[in-house]
Amino acid sequence: MLRGPRSPLWLLLLLLLLLLPPGTWGDGGRARPREGAEEAGSAGSWSAFQGLRERLRAAGALCRRYWALFSCRVWPEGCRQDEEPPARPPGLEADLRVRLHGQHLARELVLTAARGYLELPQPDKALALSFHGWSGTGKNFVARMLAENLYRDGLRSDCVKVFVATLHFPHHKYVDLYQEQLAGQIRKTQEHCHQTLFILDEAEKLHPGLLEALRPHLERQVPENPRAKSPRTIFLFLSNLGGNIINEVVLNLLKAGWSREEIGMEHLEPQLQAGIVEATDSGFGHSCLVKENLIDFFIPFLPLEYRHVRLCARDAFLSQELLYTEEALDEIAKMMVYVPKEEQLFSSQGCKSVSQRINYFMP
């Protein structure tokens, strides 16, 4: 006999553990990297206790997510369609630490900004984060990760909308129509959901008119009812704009003897923001969003190195439950093109094509 939604969660957790694929909690017969072979600072160098703690935390988050889905199916009358997210997404910190490679600045900034915003009792403004960096450095990956931790259905949630500039707004002559469609979509989603997430990819290619249409949704608002819960909206702008500046700063610091993990926002933020404003091939830096400080954080994604590509390759194998060897990881990493020509430090495509390259090593 089914019991109410307050039934102990340990039964569901036990069921999930039994259903997890082989190798989730151990080697499971899978070929794993040799001890000590992972690069310093990578997830593979963590102690066994730390790894187990992260797995338990992730499993707990997964349990709660599936329990919410299960309870909505069994007791639909008590299920909220807008699916209000927790103030502290339980799996976000673990996901950013374990799955995101080479991006210590983005990891800390995204986590701090998201937590701080979701904990506000009455936010008077939408949270606007602008991700900048070369293709393949993790901008879309982090956006998807945030959606997955905030919503049961991730990017497929009705409360999440993704817009790609060249796909959804390809013709400048129709900008007036696009403005109406974009504003209408935002209003409709906010009416349906208490918490909304809007992702605008290729933000540097958005027409200035579209950026202007976003102004009312990013400006500070006076709550109509101080006692009522304020709706929450997060805007993510993803852009390659400023990528070259980020790479140049990182390269110079590495050549000067700095370690990657010592690079801070104080090294990047001034030059990144100046480069965005001065860019002549994009209107993003000249828009009201930038000039009126409606963007809360400009988040740099650093260029990825050989060791990070190896970790991406390892994750790609594991995500498909495939065997891998250290030699296979090296072969995939060597397939990438590295720049600059002299130093050959950074992967020109980041980790973007890694998942396709593992097909060469499938039996």
Side-chain angles (χ1 to χ4, degrees):
M1 179 177 177
L2 288 174
R3 303 174 70 181
R6 296 183 179 273
S7 300
L9 292 183
W10 67 269
L11 291 174
L12 184 60
L13 177 59
L14 178 61
L15 176 61
L16 286 171
L17 294 177
L18 293 174
L19 293 175
L20 286 173
T24 302
W25 297 94
D27 291 346
R30 180 186 292 118
R32 302 301 300 269
R34 294 186 296 271
E35 185 69 24
E38 287 292 351
E39 295 82 0
S42 70
S45 65
W46 288 8
S47 67
F49 174 76
Q50 288 173 315
L52 178 60
R53 183 179 62 182
E54 294 298 341
R55 293 188 184 99
L56 287 172
R57 183 181 301 171
L62 183 65
C63 175
R64 286 188 289 272
R65 186 179 302 172
Y66 276 95
W67 175 257
L69 177 61
F70 176 71
S71 61
C72 279
R73 296 290 178 83
V74 179
W75 301 283
E77 66 280 359
C79 179
R80 289 191 59 178
Q81 294 302 314
D82 59 354
E83 189 188 352
E84 182 177 350
R88 284 179 172 262
L92 182 59
E93 182 177 4
D95 274 351
L96 289 170
R97 183 183 298 132
V98 176
R99 299 169 60 196
L100 181 65
H101 304 303
Q103 303 296 353
H104 65 287
L105 293 177
R107 179 178 66 235
E108 295 303 323
L109 285 171
V110 170
L111 185 63
T112 301
R115 279 182 170 177
Y117 180 71
L118 294 174
E119 288 174 353
L120 289 175
Q122 283 194 322
D124 60 355
K125 178 188 179 301
L127 175 65
L129 306 179
S130 192
F131 296 173
H132 296 268
W134 267 12
S135 178
T137 52
K139 302 185 298 294
N140 278 280
F141 187 53
V142 172
R144 187 180 73 203
M145 203 180 295
L146 186 59
E148 290 172 350
N149 279 276
L150 290 179
Y151 302 96
R152 182 174 57 243
D153 297 325
L155 292 175
R156 295 188 301 274
S157 171
D158 291 337
C159 302
V160 179
K161 300 301 175 185
V162 180
F163 302 99
V164 182
T166 54
L167 177 63
H168 295 93
F169 317 113
H171 305 294
H172 286 182
K173 62 181 179 180
Y174 299 132
V175 65
D176 292 339
L177 175 62
Y178 295 154
Q179 285 178 319
E180 294 178 9
Q181 292 176 340
L182 178 61
Q185 185 69 77
I186 292 175
R187 285 195 301 269
K188 181 179 178 181
T189 307
Q190 289 176 330
E191 290 172 0
H192 177 71
C193 305
H194 180 76
Q195 158 74 44
T196 51
L197 174 63
F198 299 102
I199 302 171
L200 294 104
D201 199 1
E202 301 179 350
E204 76 279 5
K205 299 177 183 178
L206 288 171
H207 189 279
L210 288 170
L211 296 172
E212 180 67 31
L214 295 174
R215 182 211 293 259
H217 304 283
L218 290 171
E219 290 178 325
R220 297 193 180 278
Q221 308 288 335
V222 178
E224 295 181 1
N225 183 357
R227 296 185 178 182
K229 270 193 173 183
S230 300
R232 288 180 170 84
T233 300
I234 299 177
F235 283 90
L236 302 181
F237 297 90
L238 317 184
S239 174
N240 293 341
L241 193 64
N244 290 336
I245 294 174
I246 295 170
N247 292 3
E248 182 179 354
V249 172
V250 173
L251 177 62
N252 290 336
L253 289 172
L254 293 180
K255 291 171 70 173
W258 291 70
S259 72
R260 185 184 184 92
E261 290 68 27
E262 291 175 328
I263 299 175
M265 283 300 294
E266 66 274 13
H267 301 114
L268 286 163
E269 189 171 24
Q271 296 186 54
L272 174 59
Q273 292 198 27
I276 292 172
V277 172
E278 295 169 3
T280 58
D281 56 346
S282 171
F284 185 79
H286 306 283
S287 69
C288 60
L289 306 187
V290 175
K291 289 184 176 180
E292 298 178 16
N293 298 315
L294 298 180
I295 303 291
D296 296 292
F297 296 96
F298 293 90
I299 301 180
F301 280 70
L302 310 186
L304 298 182
E305 302 172 36
Y306 181 92
R307 57 188 171 118
H308 305 124
V309 177
R310 290 185 82 257
L311 292 172
C312 291
R314 180 202 64 183
D315 292 350
F317 276 109
L318 293 179
S319 68
Q320 299 190 36
E321 293 291 323
L322 294 174
L323 298 171
Y324 71 87
T325 64
E326 292 296 311
E327 291 73 19
L329 301 185
D330 282 323
E331 285 296 321
I332 292 175
K334 290 176 182 177
M335 290 179 180
M336 311 301 285
V337 176
Y338 293 86
V339 295
K341 185 176 181 180
E342 296 77 17
E343 294 86 355
Q344 295 191 359
L345 280 176
F346 307 136
S347 170
S348 62
Q349 295 182 344
C351 285
K352 193 166 188 177
S353 61
V354 165
S355 59
Q356 288 78 32
R357 295 177 188 270
I358 69 173
N359 294 330
Y360 294 104
F361 300 88
M362 293 180 66

